[in-house]
Amino acid sequence: METYYDPKDLGSFAEIGKDAPELAGKFFDYYNEVFAEGELTEREKALIALAVAHTVQCPYCIDAYTRACLEKGSHLGEMTEALHVVTAIRGGASLVHGVQMRKIAEKLSL
């Protein structure tokens, strides 16, 4: 099936810097440093990245971080729980904006 997002394109990501190699180099250096073992393990960082990938709805990121999570020892239950955490945060963020709606509606209704 043909889709807008071709999974094979993920393998071409490094080429994004072809026309701006200095900026791409800085980004990839930063990216690699962020995902290196630190206060958080690489496994924990991959779970966070997987959850964020769902929030920003990036199919390439979902693909990459699903693979990263599995390679770093996460199992489907942990990955699913991370997805539920981010869903709860995103849902809560939408609901809390209802406070703004209520304030405006109440002000205009008076």
Side-chain angles (χ1 to χ4, degrees):
M1 178 172 92
E2 189 173 324
T3 66
Y4 185 77
Y5 293 103
D6 185 346
K8 290 182 245 164
D9 289 342
L10 184 57
S12 301
F13 185 47
E15 295 174 22
I16 200 70
K18 190 160 88 174
D19 297 312
E22 300 85 17
L23 292 174
K26 289 177 183 182
F27 171 78
F28 287 118
D29 288 346
Y30 170 75
Y31 178 92
N32 290 327
E33 188 66 29
V34 165
F35 281 93
E37 192 90 14
E39 294 294 323
L40 297 172
T41 66
E42 289 182 11
R43 182 181 158 282
E44 291 166 330
K45 290 179 181 188
L47 282 167
I48 292 168
L50 179 63
V52 172
H54 281 83
T55 300
V56 299
Q57 299 175 330
C58 173
Y60 299 117
C61 302
I62 293 168
D63 183 339
Y65 292 110
T66 297
R67 292 170 189 274
C69 283
L70 293 170
E71 289 168 1
K72 294 177 186 326
S74 293
H75 57 76
L76 189 54
E78 293 169 318
M79 294 159 61
T80 302
E81 190 168 328
L83 176 57
H84 281 283
V85 169
V86 77
T87 300
I89 296 299
R90 189 162 186 171
S94 294
L95 285 173
V96 79
H97 277 86
V99 172
Q100 300 305 316
M101 178 224 25
R102 294 182 61 77
K103 284 173 39 180
I104 293 167
E106 289 169 0
K107 182 179 178 182
L108 294 175
S109 296
L110 295 178

